[in-house]
Amino acid sequence: MTYLLGSHHVTLSVGGAQEDVDFHTQVLGMRFIKKTVLYDGSSPVYHLYYSNAHGDPSSVITTFPWAQAGLYGTRGTNQAREVLLAVPANSLDFWAQRLAQHNIAATQSEIFGERRISFLHPSGIEYQLVGVVGDPRQGYTGYGVPQEAAIHGIHGVGIHVFDQDRMVDFGNEVFFAQGEIWEEGDRARFRVGTDSFGNWIELTGNRTDPQGTWRYGAGTYHHFAWNLDTLANQEQVKFDIEGAGYTDISELKNRTYFKSHYVRSPGGALFELAVTHEDGGWDCDESPEELGKQFMLPTQFESERESIMSKLETISIDAKIEE
């Protein structure tokens, strides 16, 4: 039997490294848990990780700051666009005030019966804090964010698509869609996997924006990762997806902390099939208490540490931004 639990992490192409650190820690109050580099290609680019209190699968945002390399993307249709994060339902007034204190423009709305606050990452990526009830994940209480307002983790992924039906078909055929399809205005959503939180796919019908870029490039969403739990299940799911004709799928890649296949969905969004394997996890190279304190490199890059560090901007995890 093949299965999918829920979300695993979100990966974004952002602008500057320091502004990204400041945004996720000083503004959103997330925990910084890992500083490493992109494993693919030859360009040294940071890979930065943020999470809730415990680094749960379904709580992690990771970023590649591409501005230093001069690489920028285009937001558009047929592309993942919105970072949806779950917060306690009664915390939206706190977040509206906090964002205003940091001079971040935000708008409030109610979508699918959930109160939300929408705002932008400094590189332009769209974020939404979604008020939810009964989420068991524990938020991080650093940087002045109290437990009663702290971000639980991922709520889901917002994808802009030319044709919503093709993504619904994909969910129903091979990607573990659960329950009914909700529709509201130009949006439709459904849940995938067995988790009771963090696994919504929201589809916005968009036939006006140009095609969004799929490559790395500052200001764009790169991929959304799903938790397949075990390597055996992950391989069977890959086999089933390919067998259904969705053959734009990668070989297995070892990311140290997890192992992954990548599949391009018919709505353009890149999905990752991720497993935190027995030799992985965020604490496989740092203790749980010291996560994010050191610059971690995979074994194959360790001999180039000095050269790599010389090409990356210096960042401070505890740097302050103006109130």
Side-chain angles (χ1 to χ4, degrees), residues 49-207:
Y49 291 65
Y50 313 90
S51 78
N52 66 4
H54 302 301
D56 301 321
S58 81
S59 79
V60 177
I61 296 175
T62 88
T63 63
F64 299 119
W66 282 104
Q68 186 175 9
L71 192 59
Y72 294 84
T74 300
R75 291 182 296 279
T77 196
N78 292 332
Q79 180 192 62
R81 285 271 296 262
E82 294 146 1
V83 180
L84 307 179
L85 300 176
V87 297
N90 60 359
S91 71
L92 274 296
D93 290 340
F94 167 87
W95 283 107
Q97 181 179 29
R98 184 175 176 89
L99 292 168
Q101 289 173 343
H102 288 292
N103 299 313
I104 296 175
T107 58
Q108 297 195 44
S109 61
E110 185 171 304
I111 303 171
F112 297 118
E114 299 163 335
R115 188 178 168 198
R116 304 183 179 203
I117 294 183
S118 302
F119 54 98
L120 300 179
H121 182 282
S123 66
I125 297 172
E126 298 147 288
Y127 276 59
Q128 291 184 11
L129 298 181
V130 183
V132 300
V133 176
D135 193 315
R137 296 170 294 177
Q138 183 179 341
Y140 185 60
T141 56
Y143 308 99
V145 177
Q147 186 61 240
E148 59 267 23
I151 293 170
H152 294 302
I154 297 165
H155 183 66
V157 53
I159 306 170
H160 285 221
V161 292
F162 189 84
D163 188 340
Q164 292 165 306
D165 290 344
R166 299 290 76 77
M167 279 296 291
V168 173
D169 291 344
F170 179 72
N172 287 330
E173 291 170 8
V174 296
F175 218 74
F176 307 96
Q178 305 287 333
E180 64 181 306
I181 306 297
W182 299 47
E183 296 186 50
E184 183 174 311
D186 61 356
R187 290 181 183 244
R189 77 169 181 174
F190 58 93
R191 175 173 274 153
V192 301
T194 59
D195 283 351
S196 60
F197 51 82
N199 51 355
W200 288 104
I201 293 177
E202 293 194 359
L203 306 172
T204 297
N206 183 343
R207 297 191 173 192

Side-chain angles (χ1 to χ4, degrees), residues 287-302:
S287 70
E289 297 76 23
E290 295 295 311
L291 292 180
K293 301 298 184 183
Q294 304 297 323
F295 181 38
M296 309 308 300
L297 288 174
T299 303
Q300 67 268 29
F301 291 165
E302 190 58 53

Side-chain angles (χ1 to χ4, degrees), residues 25-47:
T25 60
Q26 304 291 333
V27 178
L28 297 186
M30 299 186 76
R31 183 184 181 189
F32 187 89
I33 62 167
K34 194 68 62 179
K35 178 169 65 172
T36 182
V37 292
L38 173 66
Y39 284 19
D40 300 325
S42 59
S43 298
V45 175
Y46 278 126
H47 197 178

